[in-house]
């Protein structure tokens, strides 16, 4: 019997067709033998008869009659992004990386470095740039959902509402979107020690599930919440009274990603779906983290500076090793030109004058034409490819 875990790298064709993991896995027969599973996935579990539902990192196209085909570039990039957020052992993650990297090299592309694989989502979306032993991403995302204060006959306050809603995309200011799939919270509700906080501040605890003062469950809308609010003047003044007045009307949750999926939604944007998360806390919040109005303001600011708001996802995909389209290259070139135009002219030459070749201080530096900038970029890419080729063939 072959060793289970990370599948040994193998050489196959590679395609850049659109990728849908669910549809391709669905085409694999329920009773598929291990050879088929090894031809589709980069990791299979221990056991006598592994099933496709237990395997991880699918990255090969599968025909309607269940035959494995070429490796898919989008699936490989997705695998790199999810690798260090998986629950695999370090040895298995190394093995999966080697498997995916081999396909990338077969396609004539250089795989992303392991340090960048771990950081590509965490640093940009989380805004913390954490490296090292951070296995999973952890940040707070706000989803607007109605909630309220209910007063019991005894006068005690009950905070009721939803901390998150399912299948409702939230758009980040750089254009990417994120949504939560139903079932994402089921496991963490059963297993995790979760607090309810005010503004995610541990100094203001509103409830705790293990103490019975916080109750969480999933319903058709999303993550339902009930909190037995503390009977203190501080909480009454900071939380309950502003809620009853309508001054505070949103909740959020803090979490770690356990499982996630990515989908290209066009125009250089990506839809991220949270499939399973680990909850740290739910919170009554004063301000949403990503309100749509802020997104529009930021996009407007970028536009006035001559910078395309799609720059962030392009940088993310470039760092992860994904190929750039012609449109994305044009955006990068235009962005560079816009930023270069902001560089002030050189200081006057000694003696108080300036040479005819130097622009007068305070004017904009003349920039190469867009065509010339593109030519410079192409030449730099060619040089980089030559260096990569020399490293691979050395």
């Amino acid at each position: 019997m072959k060793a289970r875990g990370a599948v040994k790298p193998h050489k196959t064709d590679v395609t850049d067709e659109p990728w849908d993991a669910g549809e391709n896995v669905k085409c694999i027969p329920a009773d598929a033998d291990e050879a088929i599973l090894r031809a589709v996935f980069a990791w299979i579990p221990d056991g006598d008869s592994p099933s496709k539902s237990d395997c991880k990192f699918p990255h090969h196209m599968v025909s309607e009659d269940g035959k494995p085909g070429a490796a898919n570039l989008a699936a490989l990039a997705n695998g790199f992004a999810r690798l260090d957020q998986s629950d695999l052992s370090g040895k298995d993650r190394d093995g999966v990386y080697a498997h995916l990297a081999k396909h990338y090299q077969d396609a004539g592309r250089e795989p992303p470095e392991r340090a960048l694989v771990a950081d590509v989502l965490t640093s940009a979306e989380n805004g913390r740039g954490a490296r090292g032993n951070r296995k999973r991403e952890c940040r707070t995302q706000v989803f607007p959902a109605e909630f309220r204060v209910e007063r019991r006959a005894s006068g005690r306050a009950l905070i009721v509402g939803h901390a998150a809603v399912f299948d409702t995309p939230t758009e980040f200011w750089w254009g990417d979107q994120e949504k939560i799939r139903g079932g994402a919270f089921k496991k963490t509700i059963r297993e995790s020690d979760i607090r309810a906080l005010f503004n995610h501040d541990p100094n203001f605890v509103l409830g705790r599930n293990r103490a019975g003062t916080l109750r969480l469950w999933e319903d058709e809308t999303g993550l339902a919440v009930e909190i037995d609010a503390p009977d203190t003047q501080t909480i009454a003044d900071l939380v309950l009274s502003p809620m009853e007045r309508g001054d505070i009307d949103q909740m959020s949750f803090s979490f770690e990603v356990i499982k996630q999926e990515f989908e290209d939604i066009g125009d250089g944007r990506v839809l991220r779906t949270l499939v399973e998360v680990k909850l740290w806390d739910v919170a009554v919040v004063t301000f949403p983290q990503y309100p749509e109005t802020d997104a529009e303001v930021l996009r407007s600011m970028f536009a006035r500076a001559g910078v395309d708001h799609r720059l962030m996802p392009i940088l993310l995909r470039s760092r992860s090793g994904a190929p750039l389209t012609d449109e994305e290259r044009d955006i990068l070139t235009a962005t560079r030109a816009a930023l270069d135009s902001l560089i002030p002219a050189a200081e006057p030459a000694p003696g108080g004058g300036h040479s005819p070749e130097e622009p007068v201080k305070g004017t904009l530096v003349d920039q190469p034409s867009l065509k010339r900038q593109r030519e410079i970029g192409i030449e730099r890419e060619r040089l980089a490819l030559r260096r990569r080729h020399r490293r691979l063939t050395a």
Side-chain angles (χ1 to χ4, degrees):
M1 178 184 297
K2 294 183 179 179
R4 300 277 171 75
V7 177
K8 184 177 179 180
H10 54 253
K11 183 177 179 62
T12 66
D13 292 334
V14 182
T15 180
D16 60 356
E17 297 178 50
W19 171 252
D20 186 322
E23 288 300 317
N24 280 279
V25 172
K26 188 186 299 184
C27 292
I28 302 174
D31 58 350
D33 59 31
E34 187 172 328
I36 292 179
L37 299 180
R38 286 180 175 276
V40 176
F41 297 91
W43 183 92
I44 59 175
D46 291 327
D48 294 334
S49 301
S51 66
K52 65 178 182 180
S53 61
D54 297 323
C55 298
K56 297 182 179 181
F57 295 98
H59 56 282
H60 281 265
M61 305 297 292
V62 182
S63 64
E64 293 183 357
D65 57 357
K67 295 180 180 179
N72 184 281
L73 277 174
L76 297 173
N78 190 344
F80 284 129
R82 296 186 296 113
L83 180 56
D84 284 288
Q85 299 174 21
S86 72
D87 57 1
L88 301 182
S89 67
K91 180 180 178 181
D92 279 351
R93 287 201 297 271
D94 289 342
V96 170
Y97 173 83
H99 186 115
L100 302 178
K102 177 63 167 61
H103 288 309
Y104 240 50
Q105 292 166 341
D106 288 342
R109 306 180 188 276
E110 185 174 0
E113 299 175 12
R114 286 300 304 277
L116 298 184
V117 170
D119 269 359
V120 63
L121 292 173
T122 305
S123 61
E125 294 181 357
N126 191 25
R128 299 182 184 179
R131 288 182 181 269
N133 59 4
R134 255 191 97 112
K135 182 179 178 182
R136 302 185 185 102
E137 177 185 355
C138 180
R139 64 176 173 78
T140 301
Q141 168 67 57
V142 174
F143 293 81
E146 182 179 357
F147 75 121
R148 64 191 182 279
V149 176
E150 294 182 355
R151 294 285 180 175
R152 296 174 176 173
S154 62
R156 298 292 295 271
L158 181 70
I159 299 175
V160 180
H162 288 83
V165 292
F166 294 141
D167 298 318
T168 302
T170 294
E171 185 169 355
F172 299 105
W173 67 264
W174 57 82
D176 285 354
Q177 296 181 10
E178 181 177 85
K179 69 177 182 178
I180 309 169
R181 181 176 297 172
F185 302 104
K186 285 186 176 180
K187 184 176 180 181
T188 192
I189 289 173
R190 293 195 307 266
E191 299 178 356
S192 300
D193 186 6
I194 306 165
R195 271 75 166 175
L197 307 175
F198 176 52
N199 281 332
H200 299 285
D201 189 335
N203 293 303
F204 298 103
V205 179
L206 305 179
R208 180 179 179 184
N209 63 335
R210 292 189 178 178
T213 53
L214 166 64
R215 292 170 292 282
L216 300 164
W217 69 95
E218 287 193 1
D219 59 17
E220 293 182 355
T221 300
L223 178 61
V225 178
E226 279 189 357
I227 307 168
D228 295 328
D231 187 16
T232 66
Q233 192 61 46
T234 298
I235 298 302
D237 292 343
L238 289 178
V239 182
L240 301 179
S241 179
M243 284 183 61
E244 291 175 319
R245 285 160 44 101
D247 300 331
I248 296 177
D249 62 356
Q250 288 179 306
M251 296 191 74
S252 74
F253 66 97
S254 178
F255 65 96
E256 287 185 16
V257 175
I258 305 300
K259 295 180 182 178
Q260 60 188 344
E261 294 177 357
F262 298 90
E263 177 186 350
D264 186 349
I265 55 176
D267 200 23
R269 299 176 300 144
V270 172
L271 171 63
R272 180 193 193 202
T273 301
L274 302 178
V275 179
E276 180 185 345
V277 302
K278 176 182 178 181
L279 278 174
W280 288 108
D281 66 76
V282 294
V284 176
V285 293
T286 306
F287 293 106
Q289 186 171 350
Y290 296 113
E292 293 180 1
T293 52
D294 284 357
E296 292 303 320
V297 169
L298 284 167
R299 289 182 187 179
S300 177
M301 291 172 61
F302 268 57
R304 289 198 298 270
V307 176
D308 195 298
H309 73 272
R310 292 170 292 175
L311 178 65
M312 180 62 76
I314 293 173
L315 294 177
L316 280 174
R317 279 186 287 280
S318 178
R319 287 188 64 197
S320 69
L324 296 178
T325 65
D326 290 340
E327 181 184 13
E328 290 171 337
R329 288 193 178 92
D330 288 343
I331 290 172
L332 291 176
T333 300
T335 300
R336 182 173 59 191
L339 296 177
D340 284 346
S341 70
L342 302 177
I343 300 174
E347 294 289 340
H354 59 84
S355 65
E357 293 79 14
E358 295 176 336
V360 178
K361 184 178 180 180
T363 63
L364 296 181
V365 178
D366 290 337
Q367 299 300 316
S369 67
L370 187 60
K371 179 179 179 181
R372 177 55 184 153
Q373 292 178 46
R374 195 170 299 166
E375 290 171 350
I376 293 172
I378 292 172
E379 183 60 31
R380 286 176 176 170
E381 286 189 13
R382 287 173 178 167
L383 291 173
L385 286 173
R386 289 172 190 156
R387 287 195 294 269
R388 291 172 185 172
H389 179 71
R390 285 197 294 270
R391 286 201 302 268
L392 293 173
T393 57

